[in-house]
Amino acid sequence: MSIETIKTEYLAELQTITDAKQLADFWAKYLGKGGEVQKLMGGIKNVPNEEKKAYGQAVNEIKNWAQALYEEKKVEIEKKVM
């Protein structure tokens, strides 16, 4: 899956999450050990040496972006529970 595809699907799916169980499943799908972002990180070995730095930076950016949005959603769900 490409970075842009992951971003698009991530945002769309994040909007549908309404409880902690869905959020946990979402984390596993995208940010967990076998998640889509981790797959991107593992794909660095397939990138030509001259492109590794740019690829690594792009993957790191999506990882940080995804984690920030996840944390926002987590806080939103925790507030609903209280």
Side-chain angles (χ1 to χ4, degrees), residues 18-73:
T18 57
D19 62 39
K21 167 77 171 94
Q22 289 176 328
L23 191 63
D25 292 343
F26 180 78
W27 172 268
K29 180 177 180 179
Y30 289 99
L31 296 164
K33 281 194 176 206
E36 294 300 329
V37 174
Q38 290 299 321
K39 288 177 188 174
L40 287 175
M41 295 177 98
I44 198 164
K45 66 182 176 269
N46 301 323
V47 176
N49 285 339
E50 60 274 3
E51 296 175 20
K52 283 189 190 231
K53 183 177 180 184
Y55 181 83
Q57 287 174 335
V59 171
N60 205 29
E61 284 177 19
I62 191 174
K63 182 179 125 193
N64 291 336
W65 170 83
Q67 286 178 328
L69 290 176
Y70 170 83
E71 290 300 326
E72 287 176 19
K73 189 63 151 181

Side-chain angles (χ1 to χ4, degrees), residues 1-8 36 40 62:
M1 204 179 295
S2 75
I3 289 175
E4 289 307 314
T5 303
I6 290 172
K7 279 184 164 183
T8 302
E36 294 300 329
L40 287 175
I62 191 174

